[in-house]
Amino acid sequence: MSKSLARVKAALESAGTLVTIYAMPAATRTAAEAAAAAGAQLDQIVKSILFQGQSGRLYLFLTAGGNQVDPARAAELAAEPLHRAGAEAVRRVTGFAIGGVAPIGHLTPLPIWLDPRLLDSTQVWAAAGTPHHIFQIDPKVLLTLTGATPAFFTTRN
Ligand code: 5CA
């Protein structure tokens, strides 16, 4: 088992959450691929989008698959100007490669916000640390697990 997958499994278990991680035969690198693989709606996919501030800090925006992060709204929440985090910064802080970034199990804790659109579904799917592992979870449980703050930061609310 990859270290990334093991970290997500451990994070779910240490929270006492009984969640199955599915190894998918097809790639789940993007929200569209994950939705197809899971047989779910696009908005049931949790995108883990990282932005980096001028300070160098990283911020995580858990975004419904059909939504896009509005950088201006995101910057207001982070209280500093932001740009998309590069692959290297993402890996250093989260321990995951882009395409498999999980909403939990990061190497370094970071501020997290959650798109309320995810709360419209009873179940959502998120990456489990690799581009072909995903897990299904009640978004309210995900909110608790991540310690995320619900906030409007997308271009389509
Ligand atoms: N496993 C899927 C579904 S859970 C997943 O990780 N989706 S995602 O949306 O959270 O991650 C893919 C995102 O990474 C895309 O939004 C894509 O725009 C972004 N991305 C791809 N390459 C880069 C890059 N070089 N730097 C920053 N972001 C990138």
Side-chain angles (χ1 to χ4, degrees):
M1 186 189 297
S2 80
K3 277 187 193 166
S4 297
L5 176 60
R7 226 172 38 250
V8 175
K9 195 165 177 281
L12 289 169
E13 283 169 2
S14 74
T17 317
L18 289 174
V19 169
T20 307
I21 296 175
Y22 296 89
M24 298 314 228
T28 55
R29 198 175 292 279
T30 64
E33 285 178 355
Q41 298 297 312
L42 193 56
D43 274 340
Q44 287 181 279
I45 304 301
V46 182
K47 297 194 287 192
S48 294
I49 306 293
L50 285 132
F51 276 78
Q52 186 164 31
Q54 269 183 346
S55 64
R57 292 182 73 193
L58 261 66
Y59 303 93
L60 178 56
F61 295 88
L62 302 178
T63 310
N67 275 349
Q68 303 297 328
V69 178
D70 176 340
R73 288 184 175 202
E76 271 179 42
L77 293 170
E80 63 169 323
L82 298 180
H83 58 88
R84 277 297 274 266
E88 232 173 86
V90 169
R91 189 186 270 283
R92 177 169 39 82
V93 171
T94 68
F96 302 122
I98 284 169
V101 178
I104 53 165
H106 309 126
L107 293 180
T108 311
L110 73 175
I112 309 178
W113 288 276
L114 183 139
D115 176 1
R117 180 167 293 263
L118 290 166
L119 300 169
D120 292 344
S121 302
T122 54
Q123 294 286 313
V124 296
W125 296 84
T130 90
H132 55 99
H133 287 89
I134 54 176
F135 65 94
Q136 188 179 24
I137 192 165
D138 177 336
K140 293 192 293 296
V141 175
L142 182 66
L143 187 63
T144 308
L145 271 185
T146 56
T149 305
F152 292 103
F153 54 77
T154 66
T155 47
R156 178 193 72 152
N157 293 318

